[in-house]
């Protein structure tokens, strides 16, 4: 271990070396700051979104039905953004029978909508406008602070539904005490009147609702004051199950333990006694106190944030590693001279690591300063018009330190090792006398040889020869661009293939006149929609699809994305592209009643029906004629026989079962989409208007023509593509800065060589042209390699994907051409910036 004087000497050497080469690493620091800034901004946007929806706030537990401390909560898994009412009420008895449970009760946590005037709540994302979460009235859970309790006692039947709102519910519903509002529920529109204002029973504070403290701090941060999870509508428990289309089912079960019971042991006993698909957690866990809708959205944002952080870290590591490797190579003689006067190998490596640490600290600090305002800009796109204030979290600071300092130190390990291996005798050898190679450089050699053979002029051949002479330097210039351009090409080709397949399935493979689609986060009852459409005379020309709250299991795998429909009706309006078997010719036969999860078995002749996509059939390992098991979240099972396989999944997904089979085990979920064949006596446009007016009570249920429906679904793919490209543009920007920095260092390294060219008669313009041509060759080849790799990867992925997902690869040549032009532009700009200082030196640089 170094003594203090030696350590100080190493630190001084590192600081002086960095100061002397500050101009050479400025682009590295800038590129690192950009990577850190984008990463910090991503975490900042996630934090703003969590603050907006209320996830993670101290009041979340109080807002979620006032779950008692020390309780254990049983709920359906959060598999989608729409809340699933999938916990069977009969499981209450099983929970109460578990040793250590003194009481168990069921509750609801469903989101429903409030119909708002046009233009209201412009500061809230569209999907969250008017969204409130239901809760059953109980004096143990809620306390009235103004008005009265929302019960049906002594109220005339047929009037408005009495409801109560908490502080968040007032804001989301844009209503207060005495107001009459229209609720948009799973069974349709319901007129309601606000008869009370409430707060959680355990919440201390003033009795006036005007003094209710904000669940989210709106002080120094300036963030949104009330989160979505804190928006509650409280309803009489006698009405709530029917209102939510949830008779016999619950959102969650809360188990109260016997005093002194260990929560972990009780949770383990409950897991062993209940179906494996249910999630069991203590009330102190976030999953127990967060509404599923909010939880899934927050988890999605967090996943995207960490993915982007990983990408930024990888590109930043390449940038720093390449720069330090070039700087170490340039300093071979300097390091060798220091070795001659007593510098040890360990000290040589530490000098490089200390320089990397200083670069990382500078990049992290600049990136944090850049990322904070970027996060505010990003949050303003999520919450248009919202007062998004300054927000700095420990995750943002941690991300800056990890990507800035941590990644830089990691990337410096190899250059530091090389520096420690420089022998003292290297002081007698010119720094650039030994040829340098690299993996990427060697891989580019065939392309460089081809470029030389096709070179039209001597200057181009000279530029190619210069690129071949130092393959490591050429590879370092190209690698960061290859990564960024390859990912962008992969996204462009994959999204183009998906868009083409989606367009074909919704327009060319359907004879429907109209589509109905659920948008948003609120469940919709399939029976209620069917009844409304049957009243309009379209019962025989209707194919509706419901989500299934469960999974389909076979010998070799499980399919979690399952839908339900009347299989005999599907081919009337949709060509799924049958690849085996056939659609049933008649309705499903009557099903024996075996709804009790603990009693009754399915007879051999009482077998249900299912159809699988080709990919799903391969996943579960079952073909036509084989049996699979449909299992609900609450553990009920039903055997189904596969009657057919198909290719087109855009409408029904990878697996579709008979609707009656899903209903038999209480696994029928929310209405998702329906195809409608409008009777000939109606005009399609008039029918669309009629449906739109009469289905208005359902939350965000939209009516589309086939062209509009296809465009909407293609638009979803386009939106995802644009978001991905925005994210990847940050990586490409870092790659461009890395290429520019490497080219600049290359010009500095070759300063004497370029001066000799000037001394023997080359003009400044010719020198600039030589460097520019070399940069264009390297960046052009990087673009070719990156684009080709991205396209090939996308084509292979599309080929291996299910045919219905993206049948044939589609290459967007125009978009890829723009990517290629961007690569050449990066090379030209980098060379122009790098040669500005070289031109000032002239022939004297040869000395």
């Amino acid at each position: 271990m170094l003594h203090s004087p030696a350590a100080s000497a190493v630190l001084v050497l590192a600081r002086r070396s960095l100061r002397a080469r500050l101009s050479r690493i400025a682009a590295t620091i800038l590129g690192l700051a950009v990577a850190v800034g984008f990463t910090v901004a991503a975490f900042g946007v996630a934090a703003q979104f969590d603050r907006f929806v209320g996830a993670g706030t101290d009041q979340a537990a109080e807002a979620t039905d006032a779950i008692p401390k020390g309780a254990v909560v049983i709920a359906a898994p959060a598999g989608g953004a729409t809340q699933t009412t999938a916990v069977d009420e009969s499981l209450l008895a099983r929970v109460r029978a578990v040793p250590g449970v003194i009481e168990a009760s069921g509750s609801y946590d469903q989101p429903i909508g409030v119909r708002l005037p046009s233009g209201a709540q412009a500061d809230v994302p569209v999907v969250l406008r008017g969204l409130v979460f239901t809760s059953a009235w109980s004096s143990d859970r809620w306390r009235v602070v103004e008005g009265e309790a929302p019960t049906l006692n002594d109220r005339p039947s047929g009037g408005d539904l009495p409801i109560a709102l908490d502080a968040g519910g007032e804001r989301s519903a844009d209503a207060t005490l005495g107001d009459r509002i229209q609720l948009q529920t799973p069974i349709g529109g319901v007129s309601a009147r606000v008869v009370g204002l409430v707060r959680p029973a355990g919440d201390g504070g003033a009795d006036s609702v005007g003094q209710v403290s904000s669940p989210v701090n709106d002080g120094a941060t300036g963030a949104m004051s009330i989160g979505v999870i804190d928006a509650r509508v409280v309803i009489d428990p006698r009405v709530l199950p029917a209102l939510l289309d949830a008779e016999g089912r619950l959102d969650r079960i809360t188990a109260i333990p016997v005093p002194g019971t260990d929560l972990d042991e009780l949770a383990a006993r409950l897991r062993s006694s209940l179906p494996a698909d249910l999630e069991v957690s203590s009330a102190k866990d976030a999953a127990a106190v967060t509404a599923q809708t909010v939880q899934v959205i927050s988890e999605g944002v967090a996943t995207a944030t960490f993915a982007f952080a990983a990408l930024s870290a990888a590109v930043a590591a390449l940038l720093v590693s390449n720069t330090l490797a070039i700087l170490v190579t340039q300093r071979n003689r300097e390091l060798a001279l220091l070795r001659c006067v007593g510098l040890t190998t360990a000290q040589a490596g530490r000098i490089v690591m200390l320089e990397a640490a200083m670069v990382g600290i500078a990049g992290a600090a600049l990136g944090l300063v850049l990322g904070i305002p970027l996060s505010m800009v990003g949050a303003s796109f999520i919450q248009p018009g919202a007062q998004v204030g300054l927000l700095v979290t420990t995750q943002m600071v941690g991300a800056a330190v990890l990507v800035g300092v941590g990644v830089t130190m990691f990337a410096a390990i190899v250059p530091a090792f090389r520096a420690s291996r420089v022998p003292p005798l290297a002081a007698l050898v010119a720094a650039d006398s030994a040829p340098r190679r690299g993996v990427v450089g060697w891989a580019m050699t065939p392309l460089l040889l081809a470029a030389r053979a096709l070179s039209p002029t001597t200057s181009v051949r000279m530029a190619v020869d210069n690129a071949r002479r130092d393959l490591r330097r050429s590879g370092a210039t190209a690698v960061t661009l290859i990564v960024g351009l390859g990912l962008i090409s992969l996204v462009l080709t994959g999204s183009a293939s998906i868009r083409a397949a989606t367009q074909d399935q919704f327009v060319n493979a359907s004879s429907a006149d109209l589509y109905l689609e659920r948008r948003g986060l609120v469940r919709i009852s399939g029976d209620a929609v069917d009844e409304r459409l049957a009243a309009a005379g379209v019962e025989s020309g209707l194919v509706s699809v419901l989500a299934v709250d469960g999974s389909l299991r076979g010998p070799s795998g499980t399919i979690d994305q399952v839908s339900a429909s009347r299989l005999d009706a599907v081919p009337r309006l949709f060509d799924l592209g049958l690849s085996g078997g056939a659609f049933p010719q008649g309705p499903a036969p009557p099903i024996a009643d075996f709804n009790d999860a603990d009693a009754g078995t399915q007879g051999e002749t009482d077998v249900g029906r299912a159809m699988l996509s080709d990919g799903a059939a391969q996943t579960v390992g079952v073909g036509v004629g084989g049996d699979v098991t449909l299992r609900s979240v609450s553990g009920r099972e039903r055997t189904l026989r596969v009657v057919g396989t198909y290719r087109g999944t855009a409408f029904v997904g990878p697996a579709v079962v008979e609707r009656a089979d899903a209903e038999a085990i209480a696994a029928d979920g929310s209405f998702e989409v329906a195809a409608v064949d409008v009777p000939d006596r109606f005009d399609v446009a008039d029918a669309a208007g009629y449906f739109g007016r009469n289905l208005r009570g359902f939350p965000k249920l939209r009516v589309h023509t086939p062209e509009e429906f296809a465009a909407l679904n293609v638009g979803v793919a386009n939106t995802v593509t644009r978001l991905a490209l925005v994210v990847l543009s940050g990586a490409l920007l870092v790659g461009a800065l890395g290429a520019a920095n490497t080219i600049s260092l290359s010009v500095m390294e070759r300063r004497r060589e370029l001066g000799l060219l000037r001394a023997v008669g080359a003009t400044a313009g010719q020198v600039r042209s030589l460097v520019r041509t070399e940069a264009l060759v390297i960046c052009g080849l990087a673009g070719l390699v990156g684009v080709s790799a991205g396209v090939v990867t996308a084509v292979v992925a599309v080929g291996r994907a299910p045919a219905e997902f993206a049948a044939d690869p589609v290459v967007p040549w125009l978009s890829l051409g723009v990517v290629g032009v961007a690569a050449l532009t990066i090379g030209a700009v980098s060379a122009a910036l790098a040669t500005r200082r070289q031109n000032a030196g002239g022939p004297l640089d040869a000395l």
Side-chain angles (χ1 to χ4, degrees):
M1 184 174 179
L2 284 174
H3 296 294
S4 180
S8 300
V10 170
L11 181 60
V12 170
L13 283 173
R15 189 169 58 246
R16 289 179 178 177
S17 175
L18 193 65
R19 189 186 306 122
R21 294 170 176 81
L22 188 59
S23 61
R24 303 187 185 189
I25 62 171
T28 302
I29 295 176
L30 180 59
L32 185 61
V34 170
V36 171
F38 272 84
T39 304
V40 169
F43 278 96
V45 169
Q48 293 275 12
F49 186 83
D50 276 352
R51 189 171 288 272
F52 173 70
V53 300
T57 65
D58 293 336
Q59 286 74 16
E62 294 178 354
T64 310
D65 272 355
I67 295 174
K69 292 182 179 180
V72 176
V73 177
I74 300 99
T82 300
Q83 179 83 30
T84 56
T85 305
V87 181
D88 199 298
E89 194 172 19
S90 64
L91 292 177
L92 276 170
R94 194 184 300 185
V95 172
R96 289 167 180 152
V98 172
V101 175
I102 192 171
E103 182 53 67
S105 61
S107 60
Y108 296 101
D109 198 27
Q110 285 291 308
I112 61 175
V114 176
R115 187 177 175 185
L116 299 173
S118 177
Q121 296 187 1
D123 60 330
V124 178
V126 174
V127 72
L128 300 178
R129 290 175 187 171
L131 192 72
V132 290
F133 287 87
T134 55
S135 179
W137 163 255
S138 169
S139 58
D140 295 332
R141 295 174 176 175
W142 297 101
R143 178 165 59 90
V144 176
V145 294
E146 190 173 350
E148 57 185 273
T151 62
L152 297 177
N153 298 337
D154 302 324
R155 296 183 186 273
S157 60
D160 295 334
L161 175 69
I163 63 172
L165 300 173
D166 68 357
E170 284 189 90
R171 182 188 183 281
S172 290
D174 197 18
T176 188
L177 186 65
D179 287 350
R180 187 171 183 265
I181 60 177
Q182 190 75 10
L183 298 179
Q184 295 177 316
T185 75
I187 62 172
V190 174
S191 180
R193 187 173 297 277
V194 182
V195 299
L197 301 178
V198 297
R199 67 171 58 173
D203 183 19
D207 290 334
S208 171
V209 72
Q211 296 174 303
V212 174
S213 59
S214 294
V216 179
N217 177 21
D218 59 355
T221 64
M224 302 293 292
S225 61
I226 294 177
V228 170
I229 193 173
D230 304 304
R232 293 279 155 174
V233 55
V234 183
I235 302 173
D236 192 307
R238 292 169 291 183
V239 178
L240 205 50
L243 194 70
L244 299 177
D245 187 37
E247 290 91 342
R249 289 187 275 186
L250 303 165
D251 290 335
R252 64 180 71 208
I253 295 174
T254 303
I256 308 299
V258 174
T261 302
D262 183 87
L263 282 185
D264 292 334
E265 293 180 0
L266 178 58
R269 287 197 294 269
L270 286 168
R271 290 190 188 98
S272 63
S273 302
L274 296 172
D277 292 333
L278 293 174
E279 293 184 348
V280 180
S281 54
S282 64
K284 62 184 178 182
D285 296 335
V289 299
T290 304
Q292 176 181 291
T293 303
V294 174
Q295 181 184 349
V296 173
I297 295 175
S298 296
E299 288 176 352
V301 173
T303 300
T305 299
F306 281 107
F308 178 67
L311 176 61
S312 298
V315 178
L318 288 173
L319 168 63
V320 174
S321 180
N322 290 337
T323 301
L324 292 178
I326 292 175
L327 288 176
V328 167
T329 302
Q330 292 178 357
R331 297 163 57 193
N332 267 5
R333 294 190 66 187
E334 173 191 330
L335 291 171
L337 286 171
L338 289 174
R339 291 291 312 282
C340 290
V341 297
L343 189 74
T344 66
T345 56
Q347 289 172 331
R350 285 171 185 162
I351 288 175
V352 176
M353 294 300 291
L354 284 172
E355 292 174 359
M358 295 176 190
V359 169
I361 292 172
L366 289 175
L368 184 61
V369 172
L370 174 66
I372 293 172
L374 276 178
S375 69
M376 296 168 61
V377 173
S380 66
F381 281 107
I382 295 180
Q383 305 171 49
Q387 297 295 321
V388 179
L390 185 66
L391 178 63
V392 182
T393 66
T394 54
Q395 278 193 329
M396 296 168 67
V397 177
V401 174
L402 182 62
V403 176
V405 180
V407 170
T408 302
M409 296 295 289
F410 177 79
I413 292 175
V414 173
F417 177 76
R418 289 176 180 168
S420 68
R421 304 282 291 181
V422 174
L425 289 178
L428 305 177
V429 183
D432 58 353
S433 61
R436 292 172 290 180
R437 301 173 177 86
V439 176
V440 178
W442 270 115
M444 291 179 62
T445 299
L447 295 176
L448 289 170
L449 292 174
R452 190 185 193 287
L454 299 174
S455 299
T457 63
T458 303
S459 61
V460 175
R461 284 192 292 272
M462 287 181 61
V464 175
D465 289 338
N466 283 331
R468 289 177 54 209
R469 187 178 62 186
D470 194 336
L471 293 176
R472 179 181 294 170
R473 183 182 62 209
S474 300
T477 305
V479 65
T480 50
L481 280 180
I482 290 174
V483 172
L485 296 172
L487 290 173
I488 288 177
S489 301
L490 171 64
V491 169
L492 288 174
T493 305
S495 63
S497 303
I498 293 172
R499 286 196 304 270
T502 302
Q503 183 80 20
D504 179 70
Q505 290 189 62
F506 280 117
V507 175
N508 300 331
S510 171
S511 60
D513 296 314
L514 294 172
Y515 287 101
L516 309 178
E517 186 183 24
R518 182 185 68 87
R519 289 273 168 176
L521 306 176
V522 182
R523 294 174 64 251
I524 295 178
S525 166
D527 290 337
V529 173
D530 289 351
E531 290 173 5
R532 196 75 60 89
L533 293 175
V538 295
E539 184 176 12
S540 61
L542 172 68
V543 179
S544 58
V545 178
L546 277 62
V548 169
D549 295 335
S551 58
L552 205 59
R553 307 184 178 200
S556 61
T558 300
I559 300 295
D560 294 320
Q561 185 183 350
V562 185
S563 61
S565 185
R566 295 185 174 92
L567 297 184
D568 63 310
V570 171
R572 301 176 195 166
L573 298 179
F574 229 90
D575 179 12
L576 297 185
L578 279 177
S579 56
F583 282 98
Q585 296 300 310
I591 297 175
D593 184 12
F594 60 104
N595 283 344
D596 188 349
D598 299 318
T601 57
Q602 186 176 351
E604 289 294 328
T605 59
D606 185 22
V607 177
R609 307 188 296 202
M611 298 189 69
L612 304 176
S613 68
D614 293 335
Q618 185 176 4
T619 298
V620 300
V622 173
V624 176
D627 289 346
V628 292
T629 301
L630 179 64
R631 180 181 174 90
S632 73
V633 173
S634 291
R636 295 181 177 180
E637 294 184 348
R638 179 165 174 76
T639 301
L640 310 180
R641 185 148 297 151
V642 179
V643 298
T645 56
Y646 57 91
R647 293 183 295 273
T649 62
F651 189 65
V652 297
V656 56
V657 303
E658 193 70 59
R659 182 167 169 176
D661 293 320
E663 292 171 344
I665 59 172
D668 51 315
S670 174
F671 169 89
E672 295 295 334
V673 66
V676 180
D677 182 17
V678 177
D680 294 337
R681 63 181 181 276
F682 294 116
D683 178 75
V684 173
D686 293 340
Y690 174 81
F691 292 150
R693 291 188 299 271
N694 286 271
L695 298 174
R696 190 174 298 171
F698 292 101
K700 293 182 173 60
L701 184 60
R702 303 291 184 250
V703 183
H704 307 288
T705 64
E707 293 75 17
E708 292 171 344
F709 191 47
L712 184 65
N713 285 272
V714 169
V716 173
N718 289 337
T719 300
V720 174
T721 300
R722 285 193 293 269
L723 290 174
L725 291 178
V726 168
V727 170
L728 293 177
S729 64
L732 182 59
L733 177 57
V734 176
L737 289 170
N741 188 49
T742 308
I743 293 171
S744 178
L745 291 174
S746 171
V747 170
M748 293 179 183
E749 182 182 1
R750 298 163 55 196
R751 193 175 183 87
R752 188 168 183 272
E753 171 195 331
L754 298 177
L756 285 172
L757 289 176
R758 292 293 307 278
V760 298
T763 65
Q766 289 173 324
V767 171
R768 285 196 302 269
S769 177
L770 177 65
V771 175
R772 183 168 57 247
T773 303
E774 182 179 344
L776 287 173
V777 168
I778 294 175
C779 292
L781 291 179
L784 179 62
V785 172
V787 171
S788 300
V791 170
V792 170
T793 304
V795 169
V796 171
V798 169
R800 295 177 64 87
E804 66 276 4
F805 183 68
D808 298 305
V810 176
V811 181
W813 295 110
L814 180 60
S815 300
L816 295 179
V818 173
V819 173
V821 172
L824 295 176
T825 303
I826 290 170
V829 173
S830 301
L833 295 175
T835 53
R836 288 182 62 187
R837 292 186 59 191
Q838 172 60 34
N839 292 338
L844 293 179
D845 287 332
L847 303 177

